[in-house]
Amino acid sequence: MHHNTPLISTVVVGLVLAFVLGALAQRVRISPLVGYLLAGVVMGPFTPGYVADQNIANELAEIGIILLMFGVGLHFSLKDLLSVRAIAVPGAVVQIAVATLLGMGLGWTLGWPVGGGLVFGLALSVASTVVLLRALQERRLVDTERGRIAVGWLIVEDLAMVLTLVLLPALAGLLKGEGTSGLSAYAMAQPVLITLGKVAAFVIFMLVVGRRVIPWVLHYVAHTGSRELFRLAVFAISLGVAFGAAILFDVSFALGAFFAGMILSESELSQRAANETLPLRDAFAVLFFVSVGMLVDPAIIVREPLPLLATVFIIIFGKSVAAFGIVRMFGHPTSTALTISASLAQIGEFSFILVSLGVSLALLPDRGRDLVLAGAIISIMLNPLFFALLDRYEAKKQAAEEAAAAALSAEDSAAEVAAEAARKKPARVELPVTALTGHVVLVGYGRVGSVVGASLKQGGVPLLVIEDNPGCLEKLAQAGIEKITGNAAAPGMLVAANLEAARGLIVAIPDAFEGGQIVSKARAISATLPIIARAHSEEEIAHLKHHGANSVIMGEQEIAKAMIAQIGLASI
């Protein structure tokens, strides 16, 4: 039997290399995206050794694009956008315009036509969703005002790029100047009008038909009780709508997938759909980044040092300076402006999709694509440095404020000063310790955690929840429960929860491996803290108790006990 098939070898080698290099990137505190892109470079035709099949990689990348855009739509929140629309909409539009003009200027300097410069500039104007959200989550900024502004800003950028992907094929001929002489304005605008008409028809169809059919299908499948069928339904919807949109309405896979996710996000099953499909979405997204990396020619660093330096300058400084000025112009503090600037000082997924489309339409030369891809890798690698500088700025600012506060409160009693200093002292700049004492710390506010939290709140027990799921965070905000946004296993999270003064810790997340990490870190903070965890098997119970849990509850056992008790056989 022949085992070395191009499809299998491309997938296997791509995923293995992406894992190894992604893990190394994570180890040195760089986004794993850099590792995925470098894996593609290693597999590409410009480096020695194994060369993957580019056509197969491109086909896999198309699926990756569909699932990436489906995920963007699935997490699209119109409410979050509207809450910061006063700054996010004009700010993002102006920043995109500034970056695009800078890119067009560089393209003109390099002798490219207007269409190539336009695509190049637009590709430099949009930040990576993955990189931005990860940086904000690590610093517990997602649920703050500046975090909401950054996310809203990113949503506007994403919507602008979705519109660009729709219009670019229709405008390609006009941008290249092919056969436009002697044509009327209507004749030149006709392709654009036809495209917009098809998009409008698709949008109306999705809002009228899709909004009813898609949630109904998911609810029907969910009631069958089959988990694998539910997963299959979600993938069938995302891929099917994307493919149908391309065939029936002649719109891009990306737009079809985005609308499928957006329609699905209105369903109460959207969070389950996101969780169930995340592994496969991540896998194909990795293959997408690998396929993009295969297009990068590392020699561009030597061959085009000045254009590459100019490209990186536009990404890191050009649009960031514009964003800083816009935020300050709207009256927001310097710390907010710096956070937005640091968040946008990189490019990612949409940039890759856009330059690939630009090259396929013969608008952007291969040279431009190479500059964008190399600039993306460099900017993603440098982005943590900007956040480190931001952390240092915040630390100095907070130290100055604390010194001023200490001077003003010199007449206060020593006990009051000590208590205030203890309350304000953070584990990290963005991780202030909660003022709660005698409270219960609850990790996870999903199906189990929300029931636990509601019971504790009803009983008047002080409660602090650690959660990173946007849907759960919204429920916590509505319930008025204090929360810490992020992964409880991340550095500083449990310290911020003030475990030393807590009544107990409840780990309600279903992942026992991650739960073990949390329990271990909590036990290192307090040797006497009562810790209760959740498990699904005897092995998980042993694992959690080994790491320091006092008690571990296995749902299946408790259900069985309740069933037996209900029929009066509790003594058996």
Side-chain angles (χ1 to χ4, degrees), residues 31 158 160 169 182 199 211 215 243 258 262 290 294 307 311 426 460 509 524 543:
S31 171
D158 288 352
V199 171
R211 180 172 284 178
F243 186 75
F258 174 78
M262 192 173 71
V290 170
M294 291 175 64
T311 300
I509 58 175
H543 172 75

Side-chain angles (χ1 to χ4, degrees), residues 39-89:
V41 174
V42 173
M43 295 172 58
F46 304 104
T47 54
Y50 171 77
V51 177
D53 189 306
Q54 186 69 61
N55 292 327
I56 290 177
N58 290 338
E59 292 286 339
L60 294 172
E62 287 288 349
I63 300 178
I65 291 171
I66 291 172
L67 296 179
L68 271 173
M69 293 302 300
F70 177 70
V72 172
L74 202 58
H75 293 95
F76 177 79
S77 174
L78 187 60
K79 185 174 71 173
D80 288 346
L81 175 59
L82 292 177
S83 68
V84 294
R85 65 187 182 278
I87 182 174
V89 175

Side-chain angles (χ1 to χ4, degrees), residues 229-547:
L229 193 58
F230 182 83
R231 290 174 178 168
L232 182 59
V234 175
F235 282 116
I237 289 170
S238 59
L239 298 174
V241 171
F243 186 75
I247 298 299
L248 300 177
F249 297 94
D250 199 26
V251 301
S252 67
F253 286 138
L255 181 64
F258 174 78
F259 258 90
M262 192 173 71
I263 294 297
L264 186 55
S265 69
E266 298 180 2
S267 168
E268 60 186 26
L269 293 171
S270 61
Q271 193 55 53
R272 179 181 171 188
N275 293 335
E276 292 286 353
T277 59
L278 184 61
L280 195 57
R281 282 194 288 127
D282 282 348
F284 274 101
V286 168
L287 291 174
F288 164 68
F289 291 118
V290 170
S291 69
V292 170
M294 291 175 64
L295 302 174
V296 178
D297 183 2
I300 194 174
I301 298 175
V302 178
R303 189 175 65 247
E304 306 269 11
L306 293 180
L308 179 58
L309 185 63
T311 300
V312 174
F313 181 86
I314 293 173
I315 297 170
I316 293 179
F317 296 106
K319 63 177 184 174
S320 296
V321 170
F324 180 88
I326 294 166
V327 176
R328 292 291 291 136
M329 190 182 302
F330 275 81
H332 290 272
T334 301
S335 58
T336 299
L338 289 174
T339 300
I340 305 301
S341 298
S343 299
L344 301 175
Q346 38 80 19
I347 59 176
E349 310 88 74
F350 267 113
S351 304
F352 306 150
I353 298 172
L354 190 57
V355 293
S356 298
L357 180 61
V359 171
S360 68
L361 295 172
L363 287 172
L364 183 69
D366 292 346
R367 184 185 185 190
R369 178 190 60 200
D370 293 343
L371 288 173
V372 170
L373 299 181
I377 295 176
I378 294 172
S379 67
I380 293 174
M381 292 178 67
L382 293 177
N383 195 246
L385 175 62
F386 287 94
F387 274 100
L389 294 175
L390 177 62
D391 289 345
R392 184 173 297 181
Y393 167 81
E394 292 285 350
K396 290 182 178 179
K397 178 183 175 183
Q398 183 169 338
E401 290 176 351
E402 289 180 349
L408 291 173
S409 60
E411 298 179 359
D412 294 342
S413 66
E416 290 176 339
V417 173
E420 183 69 11
R423 185 184 69 81
K424 286 188 174 182
K425 184 179 179 181
R428 285 178 57 185
V429 175
E430 297 296 343
L431 291 175
V433 177
T434 179
L436 290 176
T437 58
H439 58 297
V440 172
V441 178
L442 173 62
V443 178
Y445 200 72
R447 290 182 300 171
V448 174
S450 59
V451 175
V452 174
S455 299
L456 291 173
K457 184 179 180 183
Q458 187 176 5
V461 179
L463 177 63
L464 173 68
V465 178
I466 303 178
E467 179 60 77
D468 60 1
N469 183 287
C472 297
L473 291 172
E474 186 174 344
K475 293 179 182 177
L476 287 167
Q478 293 173 352
I481 298 175
E482 183 173 341
K483 60 188 177 299
I484 297 178
T485 304
N487 189 319
M493 297 294 288
L494 294 177
V495 175
N498 196 14
L499 289 184
E500 293 178 335
R503 182 185 303 186
L505 169 67
I506 299 176
V507 183
I509 58 175
D511 188 338
F513 176 75
E514 185 178 337
Q517 292 180 303
I518 297 168
V519 170
S520 179
K521 291 184 177 183
R523 186 55 72 208
I525 295 174
S526 173
T528 59
L529 178 71
I531 300 176
I532 302 172
R534 170 187 174 189
H536 292 287
S537 67
E538 296 291 343
E539 292 77 10
E540 291 182 357
I541 291 176
H543 172 75
L544 290 164
K545 287 190 173 181
H546 172 75
H547 283 284

Side-chain angles (χ1 to χ4, degrees), residues 133-309:
L133 289 178
R134 176 164 297 180
L136 294 179
Q137 287 172 348
E138 287 177 351
R139 290 160 179 80
R140 276 185 54 210
L141 293 175
V142 174
D143 207 38
T144 64
E145 182 189 18
R146 46 183 161 163
R148 286 192 293 271
I149 292 174
V151 173
W153 196 300
L154 186 68
I155 290 174
V156 176
E157 286 189 349
D158 288 352
L159 291 176
M161 291 305 110
V162 169
L163 183 61
T164 300
L165 294 174
V166 170
L167 293 179
L168 199 57
L171 293 171
L174 180 63
L175 292 173
K176 288 186 287 186
E178 295 177 350
T180 57
S181 59
L183 291 178
S184 65
Y186 174 76
M188 295 174 65
Q190 185 178 10
V192 177
L193 294 175
I194 292 175
T195 299
L196 290 177
K198 291 178 179 179
V199 171
F202 170 69
V203 171
I204 293 172
F205 176 81
M206 290 297 293
L207 292 177
V208 175
V209 179
R211 180 172 284 178
R212 291 175 172 82
V213 174
I214 291 176
W216 178 82
V217 170
L218 275 187
H219 279 275
Y220 172 79
V221 175
H223 283 101
T224 66
S226 174
R227 189 172 183 178
E228 62 271 20
L229 193 58
F230 182 83
R231 290 174 178 168
L232 182 59
V234 175
F235 282 116
I237 289 170
S238 59
L239 298 174
V241 171
F243 186 75
I247 298 299
L248 300 177
F249 297 94
D250 199 26
V251 301
S252 67
F253 286 138
L255 181 64
F258 174 78
F259 258 90
M262 192 173 71
I263 294 297
L264 186 55
S265 69
E266 298 180 2
S267 168
E268 60 186 26
L269 293 171
S270 61
Q271 193 55 53
R272 179 181 171 188
N275 293 335
E276 292 286 353
T277 59
L278 184 61
L280 195 57
R281 282 194 288 127
D282 282 348
F284 274 101
V286 168
L287 291 174
F288 164 68
F289 291 118
V290 170
S291 69
V292 170
M294 291 175 64
L295 302 174
V296 178
D297 183 2
I300 194 174
I301 298 175
V302 178
R303 189 175 65 247
E304 306 269 11
L306 293 180
L308 179 58
L309 185 63

